[in-house]
Amino acid sequence: MVKHLEPDKTLVKMPSLRAVKSFVAAAKYQNFTRASESLCVTQAAISRQIRELEFSLGVDLFHRSGRTVTLTEAGKQFYDAAYLSFMNISQAAQRIQKVEPVKHELTVFCSPAFTSLWLAHQLISFFDEAPDTHVNVISTNQLIHDLNTIEGKEPDVFISKVYDPREGYKSIPLFHDIIYPVCSPSYLEEHSDIKDVHSLIDADFLNLTPYGRDQVAEHVDWNEWLKAFSIDYSEQTVRKCFNSNDYCMLIQMAVTGQGVCLGWHHLVKQLIKDGKLVRITNQELKYTEKYHYLSYPEKFENNPAFVQFRSWLLQRLHVPLSDL
């Protein structure tokens, strides 16, 4: 036989919390209208709740004079206790609500070109897959120098052409450099005589220079690229050649129809897919002796944030997981 508990006299005698909330708001603002606005209810609802509260307590809580209300002595005593109680409840609720999933953090170190032309467009899918992971990106062209001088943030992941950036790191090969000429569709339409590698000599060259950039792999500019096809453009009459060590700038100039730029496949393929750039010739250079790598500390092998980032990166770059 089920034993019935006696009613909890304290809880049974408690006034309606909704009514008490209305009272606290009215006492705080000394005005029923402002109280109704603060609680997003009607003034009639506030008045009704307070009347019911006063009836249940058997005392007047307010002195009423037109639209002005002031607390009675009983009202002051009840307000002090009620307000303190609501504050305690509110703070406890906030503490509970602030218990969130643990946020993981990952710092990625890579070049400005990779950051702007690949990573910035792809990260949205990682954030969808890993909403609890914060990603910090540090980009620089002086990778070797900054590896030894960086302060404040210790990089967790390197995406670069350096196989062993630091002691205790492991590296995963990602892809080779594949380089070919690109320009905007409008530029190619205006220069329809550019059809193959030999006719490129009449183009407006946008040329990447090595200044301020670490020589972590072969530096490839127009002279090197054309020389691979037995063309020495330095001995030719070049219509225009703009030089910069900022690859992102050169690509933007190519997109806006200002000339022909050498395109690193992993950086320009999305721009080609979007129709902002076109590939001019079938000729390309492949540097199969050198890779871009994903490098990470050995201790990160089972780090949840890194494992998720590694899987995502390899998938986006179409690197078979079986190669690990």
Side-chain angles (χ1 to χ4, degrees):
M1 184 175 181
V2 179
K3 182 179 180 180
H4 294 284
L5 296 176
E6 292 292 327
D8 189 309
K9 295 181 180 180
T10 301
L11 294 178
V12 169
K13 291 182 178 181
M14 278 281 293
S16 164
L17 287 181
R18 181 180 297 178
V20 176
K21 184 189 291 187
S22 296
F23 162 75
V24 169
K28 179 179 179 180
Y29 295 108
Q30 300 284 290
N31 185 286
F32 285 9
T33 301
R34 292 184 63 188
S36 67
E37 293 172 352
S38 71
L39 296 179
C40 299
V41 297
T42 65
Q43 181 180 339
I46 294 290
S47 298
R48 184 177 65 255
Q49 292 288 343
I50 292 174
R51 283 198 303 271
E52 292 177 0
L53 179 61
E54 289 177 324
F55 179 78
S56 68
L57 295 175
V59 295
D60 290 333
L61 299 173
F62 291 100
H63 295 298
R64 295 167 174 81
S65 177
R67 295 185 178 181
T68 302
V69 294
T70 56
L71 288 169
T72 62
E73 284 302 316
K76 292 177 182 177
Q77 293 180 34
F78 192 65
Y79 174 73
D80 290 340
Y83 184 76
L84 180 60
S85 297
F86 274 120
M87 286 296 295
N88 289 333
I89 294 172
S90 175
Q91 291 172 2
Q94 289 177 10
R95 286 194 297 271
I96 295 171
Q97 291 169 350
K98 287 181 179 178
V99 177
E100 300 174 348
V102 175
K103 289 283 185 180
H104 301 288
E105 187 170 324
L106 199 66
T107 300
V108 181
F109 202 90
C110 52
S111 71
F114 188 82
T115 300
S116 299
L117 298 175
W118 194 91
L119 194 60
H121 303 285
Q122 301 288 339
L123 269 179
I124 186 172
S125 67
F126 178 73
F127 295 146
D128 288 340
E129 294 179 18
D132 296 328
T133 298
H134 290 306
V135 177
N136 303 310
V137 175
I138 299 174
S139 62
T140 177
N141 277 322
Q142 296 182 305
L143 179 64
I144 295 176
H145 175 267
D146 287 347
L147 281 177
N148 299 319
T149 61
I150 187 169
E151 297 180 359
K153 279 291 183 185
E154 183 72 12
D156 303 317
V157 174
F158 299 90
I159 302 173
S160 70
K161 293 181 182 178
V162 181
Y163 178 75
D164 51 353
R166 285 182 176 179
E167 185 178 353
Y169 276 69
K170 298 178 67 174
S171 295
I172 301 171
L174 298 176
F175 52 83
H176 302 294
D177 277 333
I178 302 175
I179 307 171
Y180 47 77
V182 294
C183 67
S184 70
S186 62
Y187 184 88
L188 186 59
E189 184 177 350
E190 293 172 4
H191 301 80
S192 57
D193 55 322
I194 301 176
K195 297 178 180 179
D196 56 30
V197 65
H198 294 284
S199 57
L200 274 170
I201 206 66
D202 296 322
D204 300 299
F205 286 110
L206 303 173
N207 190 49
L208 182 64
T209 62
Y211 305 116
R213 303 170 68 248
D214 282 330
Q215 297 303 288
V216 297
E218 309 92 339
H219 174 71
V220 182
D221 57 13
W222 272 113
N223 185 43
E224 291 296 322
W225 195 89
L226 288 170
K227 192 180 292 184
F229 298 98
S230 302
I231 301 172
D232 188 355
Y233 91 100
S234 63
E235 297 179 1
Q236 304 285 338
T237 302
V238 179
R239 180 165 57 182
K240 184 177 72 174
C241 183
F242 176 80
N243 297 286
S244 175
N245 68 338
D246 186 340
Y247 188 68
C248 295
M249 178 184 181
L250 295 176
I251 288 296
Q252 185 58 39
M253 291 177 71
V255 168
T256 57
Q258 299 183 58
V260 179
C261 183
L262 288 174
W264 272 251
H265 177 68
H266 66 283
L267 299 178
V268 300
K269 63 179 179 180
Q270 186 62 46
L271 292 170
I272 294 173
K273 182 178 179 180
D274 294 342
K276 295 179 180 180
L277 290 176
V278 292
R279 179 172 175 171
I280 299 176
T281 70
N282 291 325
Q283 286 87 358
E284 63 185 20
L285 292 185
K286 292 184 179 180
Y287 289 88
T288 56
E289 70 277 14
K290 194 72 177 180
Y291 277 98
H292 289 257
Y293 298 96
L294 169 66
S295 302
Y296 61 94
E298 293 181 359
K299 64 182 181 180
F300 264 47
E301 195 71 56
N302 297 313
N303 179 283
F306 167 71
V307 170
Q308 200 162 21
F309 182 83
R310 178 182 62 188
S311 298
W312 169 83
L313 181 69
L314 298 183
Q315 182 181 32
R316 303 299 289 189
L317 291 173
H318 306 291
V319 178
L321 294 175
S322 58
D323 290 352
L324 300 184

